[in-house]
Amino acid sequence: MSSLKKLLEIASVAAQRFIAHDGWAIASHIALSILIALFPFLILLAALAGLFGTKSLADEAGVLIFDTWPREIAKPVVNEMHRVLTEQRGGVLTVGAVLALYFSSAGVESLRVGLNRAYGLREQRPWWLTRLESIAYVICGAFAMLAFALLVVLGPLIWRNILNVAPGLEPLSLTVAIGRIGITAILLVGVLTIAHKFVATGRRSLMAVIPGVAVTLVLWFLAGLGFGYYLDRFSNAYVSTYGSLATAMVALVFLYWLAAMFLFGGEINGTVIAARRVRLQARMREKQARAQRL
């Protein structure tokens, strides 16, 4: 019971910190930045995949991104994504690809602003250095997405060859199907961990960021179920309100809630770290008081 009370106290303090740090406003900034950065990132994926001689790999990587989205949101966005990725473009060293790289990095910068506030930190580095760091994250993220996509593409092929040699393993085919979900989950955990550990200024241990990552994943899962249920029954409200912009607005609102939950996870970590710091300072004062008495 005391553990539950402690968790509720942490959540309550984190909620207060979220509001005090303008969490809702920062969440809207993150949502808009991510939406603006999304398709430039997909263009960059296509350009990099072209270096390896296959555009289908970028298409598969893009599908991986939307695997965790509710079907009602992901389907129209994926349709546009296919159109973007199948257009013929020049090599990676074109003006368009360079601009795509720059605009994609804006999404990382928005996460940095939100996390710095959540952890109660202030960025001291010059803007151009943090921008270069964000660009590096985007490039590494693009290669990671292509690598994960390669696993997804090659996995079924390898499994079919295994079944040709050992047909008795066919009952395990469901495990291979679940593998795609597992790869997406690993990707999400990795992205969240990197964001909390390295994107915000300063450095934190892995144990210090795990609570916020876990809370964010749980909230995202519930948000996906809830938002999908809502759209399945009330999607006409968006169409009647926003007309042809309904798809973009639905995606923006969904990203807004995801961003708010992401920031709340950061506030959870910030609350726990602050509480540990207070306890450590109290112990230090107690030790000093004992030393003075002796």
Side-chain angles (χ1 to χ4, degrees), residues 104-277:
S104 298
S105 66
V108 180
E109 285 296 300
S110 66
L111 297 179
R112 190 193 309 279
V113 171
L115 286 176
N116 281 342
R117 288 205 177 195
Y119 286 108
L121 302 171
R122 186 169 183 174
E123 186 61 66
Q124 302 293 334
R125 293 171 295 175
W127 70 270
W128 57 267
L129 184 59
T130 57
R131 177 65 73 166
L132 287 177
E133 184 182 90
S134 297
I135 290 174
Y137 281 130
V138 170
I139 295 174
C140 292
F143 278 110
M145 285 299 304
L146 293 176
F148 274 104
L150 186 61
L151 289 176
V152 172
V153 171
L154 292 181
L157 296 177
I158 296 173
W159 181 247
R160 281 197 293 269
N161 290 329
I162 292 175
L163 289 181
N164 291 334
V165 178
L169 296 176
E170 190 170 355
L172 297 177
S173 297
L174 179 61
T175 304
V176 177
I178 296 175
R180 185 188 187 97
I181 300 175
I183 288 175
T184 306
I186 292 172
L187 188 64
L188 274 178
V189 172
V191 168
L192 287 173
T193 303
I194 290 172
H196 283 282
K197 275 184 64 64
F198 303 114
V199 172
T201 188
R203 292 294 178 264
R204 288 145 293 279
S205 67
L206 181 61
M207 294 302 298
V209 304
I210 284 178
V213 171
V215 168
T216 301
L217 287 174
V218 171
L219 291 178
W220 279 3
F221 176 75
L222 296 176
L225 293 178
F227 211 73
Y229 178 84
Y230 169 75
L231 289 178
D232 189 42
R233 285 156 178 76
F234 304 104
S235 58
N236 290 334
Y238 278 93
V239 176
S240 61
T241 303
Y242 297 107
S244 59
L245 295 176
T247 298
M249 292 306 301
V250 167
L252 186 60
V253 171
F254 182 64
L255 287 172
Y256 175 65
W257 282 104
L258 294 187
M261 295 169 185
F262 170 76
L263 292 178
F264 182 73
E267 295 292 357
I268 290 287
N269 287 342
T271 301
V272 173
I273 291 173
R276 288 174 180 170
R277 188 182 299 117

